[in-house]
Amino acid sequence: MFSRNDFSIWSILRKCIGMELSKITMPVIFNEPLSFLQRLTEYMEHTYLIHKASSFSDSVERMQCVAAFAVSAVASQWERTGKPFNPLLGETYELVRDDLGFRLISEQVSHHPPISAFHAEGLNNDFIFHGSIYPKLKFWGKSVEAEPKGTITLELLEHSEAYTWTNPTCCVHNIIVGKLWIEQYGNVEITNHKTGDKCVLNFKPCGLFGKELHKVEGYIQDKSKKRLCALYGKWTECLYSVDPATFDAYKKNDKKNTEEKKNSKQMSTSEESDEMPMPDSESVFVIPGSVLLWRIAPRPPNSAQMYNFTSFAMVLNEVDKEMESVIPKTDCRLRPDIRAMENGEIDQASEEKKRLEEKQRAARKNRSKSEEDWKTRWFHQGPNPYNGAQDWLYSGSYWDRNYFNLPDIY
């Protein structure tokens, strides 16, 4: 990483309080050397949870694994305070992982608003995972909030089952002074469209004194809203399931203890602070009778110097001669500004980023002169087949490796 100490993010952001951040050009120093298309691919790090879900005959056990997958998909955001590069219109990214049993293709399908579509499939035709994300960024003075609009869909083909959900809101604090830190909050509702079961997970905002930092909890309920099981953990480390009655009793007791503590030493509540709270030393208290659904893999020892990347993230931009001969020229591994930044050439990265953004603007101007519309290549707009929301769906044929008439975006 480069030191960001000599750069004041405030000098750029003070012009844009309350504004939509996708229209602002940020200096490359605040980036991490990946495109947002690659960052999205990190949803796939714990694909084993999808395979595990498929292996269960019981729909509640499947939902537990799907919920664990949904939580694990946002776990790599922890401490990732670098901003991924905005994909250029028409940019693509593919990832084939034989070891994890999937392949994925993504495309930047819209520039204003910025929308990224992705489609992953199990190599044994056991699942399809797809979605389109519009990361709506808002600047609130001390923090930047990213609300990932768009539906995420997982289909378990062996069970003819589909699940949909949307991701929690992510917030980066202390962007002016102090140490940057991240929290995610909001409700995530996962629906099994075949059984009507729902899993409602609450990603808790950190709250005063950081007691709730990173916590996630919720229930799986059937279509008549009967609670079938409780889930709890932290999105940065693990998720457990337990019987709902046991969970409620534990919560009640925990609340009582907290209140007693409060009364005994009348805590002084200061105004809400933006300083990073210190999480409790015991991380997640495991309620007796709980079953572990997912635990995060530790990050590599040099992660803190490497933009806090996971091992999975570190290989996303890797390219070799053999790969270069098959991927399309729009793949972000071939994007020069990201490559320069990864190689430690920050000035070159900055110049290339500027050149690419200007090239994109010029191309847009030319299109509006000739009144031609931009055509997406691998995705088309349409309603989500399960919840009817507006979505971008995979059009097929990417893996035929027949790439002609691709736009020259780099």
Side-chain angles (χ1 to χ4, degrees):
M1 275 176 76
F2 292 90
S3 159
R4 299 193 177 125
N5 296 346
D6 320 335
F7 290 84
S8 160
I9 196 162
W10 177 239
S11 59
I12 300 133
L13 285 181
R14 63 177 178 210
K15 308 182 189 87
C16 25
I17 292 200
M19 265 172 70
E20 172 77 63
L21 283 190
S22 62
K23 304 204 169 51
I24 294 141
T25 310
M26 295 291 278
V28 77
I29 193 79
F30 298 116
N31 284 32
E32 59 173 30
L34 287 178
S35 164
F36 185 67
L37 294 181
Q38 291 165 310
R39 182 84 174 250
L40 272 183
T41 307
E42 295 185 51
Y43 287 171
M44 303 304 294
E45 181 170 350
H46 305 93
T47 301
Y48 74 89
L49 290 165
I50 299 180
H51 298 305
K52 197 171 158 189
S54 283
S55 72
F56 285 121
S57 55
D58 175 57
S59 67
V60 179
E61 288 185 278
R62 287 199 294 277
M63 177 65 98
Q64 288 178 349
C65 285
V66 173
F69 175 73
V71 173
S72 79
V74 297
S76 70
Q77 309 255 27
W78 180 54
E79 298 207 320
R80 288 282 286 283
T81 50
K83 173 185 172 304
F85 282 71
N86 290 338
L88 300 159
L89 186 60
E91 187 172 306
T92 60
Y93 180 70
E94 68 165 68
L95 186 64
V96 183
R97 288 287 298 256
D98 296 319
D99 54 336
L100 299 176
F102 76 85
R103 62 183 188 181
L104 172 142
I105 160 67
S106 57
E107 176 182 7
Q108 190 69 2
V109 291
S110 165
H111 184 60
H112 282 306
I115 300 173
S116 313
F118 66 91
H119 180 93
E121 51 201 37
L123 295 177
N124 303 326
N125 289 324
D126 47 348
F127 76 87
I128 293 171
F129 176 61
H130 60 95
S132 50
I133 301 286
Y134 156 30
K136 195 169 180 180
L137 295 173
K138 269 284 182 55
F139 171 49
W140 297 108
K142 289 188 194 172
S143 58
V144 169
E145 197 175 61
E147 183 191 351
K149 291 182 161 317
T151 298
I152 292 177
T153 305
L154 173 64
E155 302 176 36
L156 299 181
L157 302 176
E158 294 159 35
H159 302 279
S160 320
E161 246 174 11
Y163 300 81
T164 57
W165 67 91
T166 53
N167 275 335
T169 294
C170 179
C171 188
V172 183
H173 291 272
N174 279 354
I175 54 170
I176 299 156
V177 288
K179 185 175 166 9
L180 294 167
W181 61 281
I182 285 183
E183 64 172 336
Q184 305 204 60
Y185 43 75
N187 281 335
V188 170
E189 190 170 289
I190 307 171
T191 304
N192 177 334
H193 290 271
K194 187 176 177 184
T195 61
D197 292 354
K198 269 189 180 158
C199 173
V200 182
L201 291 172
N202 177 234
F203 285 69
K204 295 180 168 295
C206 121
L208 233 39
F209 306 108
K211 188 159 163 40
E212 304 284 291
L213 187 65
H214 302 154
K215 279 191 182 172
V216 182
E217 53 187 52
Y219 296 91
I220 296 173
Q221 54 191 45
D222 64 17
K223 56 176 182 284
S224 63
K225 297 212 165 152
K226 175 173 178 268
R227 290 178 170 180
L228 307 172
C229 113
L231 305 175
Y232 67 95
K234 288 190 177 181
W235 60 264
T236 48
E237 44 183 287
C238 58
L239 193 70
Y240 287 90
S241 74
V242 73
D243 171 74
T246 312
F247 182 69
D248 292 343
Y250 164 75
K251 288 283 289 180
K252 210 165 151 182
N253 196 23
D254 186 48
K255 199 174 165 191
K256 203 174 86 196
N257 291 346
T258 313
E259 277 170 7
E260 277 168 13
K261 251 192 232 161
K262 245 190 204 154
N263 299 341
S264 69
K265 62 167 196 245
Q266 276 302 304
M267 301 205 261
S268 64
T269 53
S270 59
E271 59 173 299
E272 201 174 329
S273 153
D274 236 34
E275 284 314 298
M276 172 157 183
M278 293 315 295
D280 299 348
S281 49
E282 43 83 56
S283 45
V284 172
F285 176 78
V286 182
I287 302 165
S290 300
V291 177
L292 179 69
L293 300 175
W294 160 76
R295 182 175 291 288
I296 199 163
R299 294 196 178 177
N302 55 350
S303 174
Q305 289 85 56
M306 306 277 186
Y307 300 92
N308 289 312
F309 278 10
T310 59
S311 304
F312 186 87
M314 284 192 186
V315 300
L316 289 174
N317 208 35
E318 208 166 304
V319 67
D320 55 36
K321 284 277 167 279
E322 189 189 339
M323 192 193 288
E324 213 166 331
S325 63
V326 296
I327 59 178
K329 63 179 185 177
T330 48
D331 193 288
C332 34
R333 291 179 183 86
L334 307 174
R335 191 175 151 165
D337 52 354
I338 297 179
R339 183 63 58 193
M341 186 174 191
E342 182 176 310
N343 295 339
E345 295 151 359
I346 197 85
D347 295 336
Q348 194 192 340
S350 190
E351 279 160 36
E352 283 294 321
K353 177 170 178 276
K354 211 158 100 195
R355 180 184 69 79
L356 293 175
E357 284 165 354
E358 280 164 8
K359 183 169 177 171
Q360 174 168 253
R361 272 193 289 275
R364 192 165 63 235
K365 237 185 193 150
N366 284 341
R367 281 198 305 277
S368 64
K369 269 187 201 148
S370 60
E371 294 188 357
E372 71 179 287
D373 280 334
W374 174 263
K375 286 186 189 62
T376 53
R377 190 59 189 263
W378 309 111
F379 291 83
H380 59 276
Q381 217 168 355
N384 181 288
Y386 304 102
N387 71 359
Q390 191 172 344
D391 209 347
W392 286 84
L393 307 169
Y394 178 52
S395 306
S397 72
Y398 175 86
W399 301 104
D400 302 347
R401 298 282 182 216
N402 187 3
Y403 306 130
F404 54 90
N405 293 340
L406 289 178
D408 168 26
I409 55 177
Y410 304 143

